[in-house]
Amino acid sequence: MAGDLVVGMLYNLLLPLLLLTASTFRYNGLSVVYFVFLVTLPLLPNPSLVTLRGRTGQFLRLIIYTSVTFLMLQCFMQIPFTYIPPHVSGIWEHVLYHLGIVRFSVVDAGNIVRLLAPDVGLFSSTLFILQMCKKLLRPVPHVSLHENGISPSNPEDVETSETESEEGSDLEGSSFDSSDETTVPVQSGPPQFVQKLIMFAAGLRLLLSAIMNTAGKVVVTLLLGLAGITLPSLTSGVYFGVFLGLVWWWIFSRSISMLLFSSMCVMMVFFSGGHLLALYLYQLPLPQQIVPPDDIFARLFGMTGVIRTSISHPHTISLHPHASWPDFINPLVLLLLYYTLVALLHKWVHMTEPVILISGGSWQNIHSNNLGCLLEGAGYTNCYPPPHYEGKDSPSQETESEEETGVKSEDLSKSRTETSPPPSGPSGLVIFGQLLQKHSYISALIIMMVKCGVSPTTTG
């Protein structure tokens, strides 16, 4: 339990923060790759013994290999920069500058650290996360230890050790049999503050899971409305339009089917992911040179320039003077919306519905009652099986016809009730009210657990 919790915190919390930090330390072509990793991260499954050998493990190793490659490329390119003067390289040095490879001889020490820190930090931290996931998810072997703490290699050694121990016990007159397996002393648990942190994380995960299970649609709707009003533009108008549509649909006490809402979530995932990537690309020097931040089209589509790169000092970054707090909050809200949508879709994908399997048998050999069950179970509620006729001399012919008439009338009434439309489910406002009533105690539970603390584990 604790190992899975720590692995989830490392992969779902620490790694996204590291990728986001690496993307904001510098703005060039190399950092765009890290931002693509940040957008791709929630699409992959959480680390486990199976996924570490599959896509999740390959993704973590890809981050490690990419960071090492970028670091070696920047260091290796300083060799040709030493022998080629800036006026000779011409346009190629300008192209390499936009890709993220600069001449360190014209950059101060602080900016050199800023340019190299994302690669070094991501390499070391991702390698640490990968090794910790493998260590925490590794199954603990169950080994029976004897008196010397070493498991015997074969059963003959066990018998030999038992006979020797019995002889020794007879000579010494001890009161216990040394052939019995000795118990390993119980190790003390982690420190108390670590236990408090684990319990707080477990309670927080319980709270978030309860919110997502009970009112996932409400949370997505609120985030869509927040993304629509943070920075008004044509792109944010899409979020606000979807928000208004969902709210008005629920006001009229109409429920939204899971298929329709999940389809809307998939479209919003693509739109918000593309919007985030476009916002990040606009912070690069070249797009701001093509379309300045004061241009009407940039403001109309919500492309706000927050990072400014001056022509006289191209290796230093600063903030635009007209940047305000909505310009900083808007990308964070979009990133939170994107991660929430992907988490909900992951949860809904793993929800399975009961499947009815029909055994393959001969149609002619199926009895009429079994055939009726098959037809009804397959969804053909308006179809009835043909009656099972017997010979003319059968005395039960009239009785069976009466029974079949009664069965038909019962099936007809049952089919009418089954074909009637199901009652509409609760609306989003009702779900939100139930969430406040049922799950408000979880926050108080987390605070009480952290406040009271955990007593240290006693050893036997």
Side-chain angles (χ1 to χ4, degrees), residues 112-156:
I112 291 177
V113 173
R114 179 182 62 85
L115 293 173
L116 295 180
D119 302 319
V120 178
L122 269 183
F123 167 71
S124 56
S125 58
T126 310
L127 185 61
F128 168 75
I129 291 174
L130 181 60
Q131 295 300 323
M132 285 296 296
C133 291
K134 290 182 178 179
K135 181 179 179 181
L136 294 174
L137 295 175
R138 185 181 304 161
V140 180
H142 299 282
V143 181
S144 60
L145 301 180
H146 286 261
E147 59 178 356
N148 55 356
I150 302 175
S151 59
S153 59
N154 49 40
E156 296 179 357

Side-chain angles (χ1 to χ4, degrees), residues 83-131:
Y83 296 98
I84 302 176
H87 64 275
V88 176
S89 58
I91 192 174
W92 289 108
E93 187 168 357
H94 188 68
V95 172
L96 291 176
Y97 161 73
H98 287 289
L99 291 178
I101 302 172
V102 299
R103 188 187 295 267
F104 287 164
S105 59
V106 296
V107 183
D108 58 323
N111 284 311
I112 291 177
V113 173
R114 179 182 62 85
L115 293 173
L116 295 180
D119 302 319
V120 178
L122 269 183
F123 167 71
S124 56
S125 58
T126 310
L127 185 61
F128 168 75
I129 291 174
L130 181 60
Q131 295 300 323

Side-chain angles (χ1 to χ4, degrees), residues 86-261:
H87 64 275
V88 176
S89 58
I91 192 174
W92 289 108
E93 187 168 357
H94 188 68
V95 172
L96 291 176
Y97 161 73
H98 287 289
L99 291 178
I101 302 172
V102 299
R103 188 187 295 267
F104 287 164
S105 59
V106 296
V107 183
D108 58 323
N111 284 311
I112 291 177
V113 173
R114 179 182 62 85
L115 293 173
L116 295 180
D119 302 319
V120 178
L122 269 183
F123 167 71
S124 56
S125 58
T126 310
L127 185 61
F128 168 75
I129 291 174
L130 181 60
Q131 295 300 323
M132 285 296 296
C133 291
K134 290 182 178 179
K135 181 179 179 181
L136 294 174
L137 295 175
R138 185 181 304 161
V140 180
H142 299 282
V143 181
S144 60
L145 301 180
H146 286 261
E147 59 178 356
N148 55 356
I150 302 175
S151 59
S153 59
N154 49 40
E156 296 179 357
D157 296 339
V158 177
E159 296 176 357
T160 306
S161 61
E162 288 179 354
T163 54
E164 291 177 356
S165 61
E166 289 177 356
E167 293 175 358
S169 61
D170 294 337
L171 293 175
E172 296 177 1
S174 59
S175 61
F176 63 94
D177 188 6
S178 63
S179 64
D180 296 338
E181 296 180 356
T182 60
T183 58
V184 180
V186 180
Q187 298 180 356
S188 60
Q192 188 174 3
F193 75 94
V194 177
Q195 295 182 7
K196 288 183 178 181
L197 181 61
I198 292 176
M199 292 193 66
F200 174 77
L204 185 61
R205 187 175 69 171
L206 178 64
L207 175 63
L208 294 178
S209 179
I211 291 175
M212 297 299 286
N213 290 332
T214 308
K217 295 181 180 180
V218 177
V219 172
V220 170
T221 305
L222 294 178
L223 288 176
L224 285 172
L226 187 60
I229 65 176
T230 304
L231 190 65
S233 62
L234 287 179
T235 51
S236 61
V238 176
Y239 306 113
F240 194 69
V242 176
F243 166 75
L244 289 180
L246 292 174
V247 169
W248 279 105
W249 190 261
W250 286 334
I251 285 176
F252 289 111
S253 300
R254 302 293 298 273
S255 62
I256 302 177
S257 63
M258 183 66 69
L259 179 61
L260 181 61
F261 196 85

